[in-house]
Amino acid sequence: MILITGGLGFIGTHTTRALLDLGESCVLVQRRPAEVPAAFAAEAGERLFVEQADVADERALLEIGDRHKITGIMHLAGSMPWPAGAYEPIEHTERAVRSLLTLFRAARAWQVRRLGLASTIGVYAGITADGPLGEDLPLTMSAPHVIPRFKKIGELLADHLNEVLDDVEAVSYRIGGIWGPLGHNPDPFFPAPQLVHAAARGTEPDLSALMGETRMENGLDVCYVKDCGRALALLQTAGRLRHRTYNVASGRITTNRDLIAAIRKLVPGARVDLPEGRAPGPVDNALDITRLREDTGFEPPYDTERGVAEYLEWLRAGNER
């Protein structure tokens, strides 16, 4: 049984579905009370369970292992001071680091071999490179946002514990820009959700939440969320992994022009214009997913048009995000 923190979140929900489809059982850990969603009703109580616990609370987390036989852990909830201002700053930082260490303690207590840790494409910020970004590139010491900042801290702690522990395999998953059903709207990093939502509603997109200017030729390695969930499930269940860090992405750049072209093909007349050209900033690099492909056989089946079509159908069916 795979324990997933944040298993009812955006990426977590799709990863859970992918694991269930692979024949795994899952226990989803949420800090707040939560019910099993209707989408998991068929597996609830047999192959899927929801437990309430704060990951920073070691006792509460370890008690879950008394009720379920945990064979793997996926930490998708994140160990970072988020949302900003939720606690006093030093206390919030301490909770973030403690939650990560608590998962290592749980892995050892339950004799779990693989602990998967969600990281982010944001750890590559500040790197200047030609071509796709590989996992062996040296990272900078700085980060423009609290999320990649603490993901770097988490990766360093995991690397250290991998060296000194011989009974836990910690693997960091550097996840690209993810979009699709249940996603964040507005998204501060790329405009895909805002553009698709606007097309579904027949409105103009509100891009005010974006952290920087974006134009037609700006792009990102974005991965449809179902592809992301399947890739994470394959990494977590692989019999043998040869590395301790994996990029989880599509392996290609999707520009805003590509996205808008797909939207307009499906929704003629959609009001999703952006300024021409490319906004100043770093070169757009794809993530190299060679490791992911070689060790799991993963290939992303969703191209931009297929992703847009499914997301539009989801929103038009009455789903809010």
Side-chain angles (χ1 to χ4, degrees):
M1 178 172 287
I2 309 297
L3 181 144
I4 309 172
T5 70
L8 293 177
F10 174 32
I11 294 175
T13 297
H14 294 278
T15 303
T16 298
R17 170 46 59 197
L19 284 166
L20 291 170
D21 290 346
L22 289 173
E24 294 288 337
S25 299
C26 300
V27 55
L28 313 182
V29 179
Q30 298 293 126
R31 189 159 58 89
R32 298 181 179 86
E35 297 180 356
V36 176
F40 296 137
E43 295 92 353
E46 296 184 3
R47 292 202 300 130
L48 185 129
F49 304 86
V50 176
E51 294 276 359
Q52 181 185 359
D54 187 333
V55 180
D57 184 338
E58 183 175 346
R59 180 177 177 180
L61 184 66
L62 290 177
E63 286 178 351
I64 295 175
D66 297 334
R67 297 186 289 274
H68 306 281
K69 176 59 178 175
I70 308 300
T71 58
I73 299 174
M74 299 189 73
H75 185 33
L76 303 184
S79 292
M80 67 198 75
W82 190 261
Y87 300 91
E88 188 275 334
I90 295 177
E91 177 190 351
H92 211 170
T93 300
E94 180 184 21
R95 287 173 59 87
V97 176
R98 186 169 67 246
S99 68
L100 180 59
L101 297 178
T102 297
L103 286 164
F104 273 91
R105 291 192 180 99
R108 302 191 82 189
W110 300 331
Q111 298 182 338
V112 165
R113 184 64 189 173
R114 184 170 298 154
L115 169 57
L117 303 171
S119 187
T120 174
I121 188 176
V123 301
Y124 291 112
I127 291 179
T128 301
D130 294 326
L133 303 176
E135 294 92 339
D136 287 334
L137 283 170
L139 304 182
T140 67
M141 287 293 291
S142 61
H145 190 274
V146 65
I147 294 178
R149 193 175 304 141
F150 273 77
K151 293 302 186 182
K152 287 184 179 183
I153 291 170
E155 286 196 24
L156 285 170
L157 284 173
D159 287 345
H160 167 67
L161 291 171
N162 272 328
E163 289 184 4
V164 298
L165 300 177
D166 58 7
D167 54 350
V168 178
E169 175 191 54
V171 185
S172 295
Y173 306 139
R174 292 178 180 169
I175 300 172
I178 307 302
W179 65 291
L182 302 177
H184 306 293
N185 181 49
D187 191 286
F189 303 113
F190 60 101
Q194 290 94 310
L195 294 173
V196 177
H197 273 256
R201 297 168 180 166
T203 61
E204 294 185 4
D206 179 1
L207 303 179
S208 60
L210 290 172
M211 292 181 65
E213 181 186 5
T214 188
R215 299 181 183 178
M216 278 291 202
E217 301 307 327
N218 289 102
L220 186 69
D221 189 329
V222 294
C223 184
Y224 195 64
V225 68
K226 287 189 177 180
D227 284 346
C228 174
R230 181 170 175 271
L232 291 172
L234 290 172
L235 282 165
Q236 193 65 29
T237 58
R240 175 175 176 264
L241 294 178
R242 295 177 295 169
H243 308 279
R244 295 294 172 266
T245 308
Y246 288 83
N247 288 332
V248 177
S250 66
R252 64 180 184 273
I253 290 292
T254 299
T255 66
N256 294 328
R257 186 179 300 280
D258 297 331
L259 181 64
I260 287 172
I263 291 172
R264 285 179 171 161
K265 182 175 180 180
L266 295 161
V267 187
R271 293 177 287 170
V272 288
D273 287 313
L274 287 175
E276 289 292 335
R278 184 181 183 283
V283 174
D284 302 319
N285 296 93
L287 298 189
D288 186 341
I289 60 172
T290 301
R291 288 184 180 182
L292 174 62
R293 284 188 167 114
E294 291 179 347
D295 284 10
T296 70
F298 171 78
E299 289 293 339
Y302 279 85
D303 59 16
T304 305
E305 185 175 329
R306 182 183 177 190
V308 169
E310 186 176 277
Y311 198 8
L312 283 169
E313 182 179 3
W314 167 266
L315 293 172
R316 286 169 170 170
N319 297 290
E320 294 184 1
R321 59 186 182 92

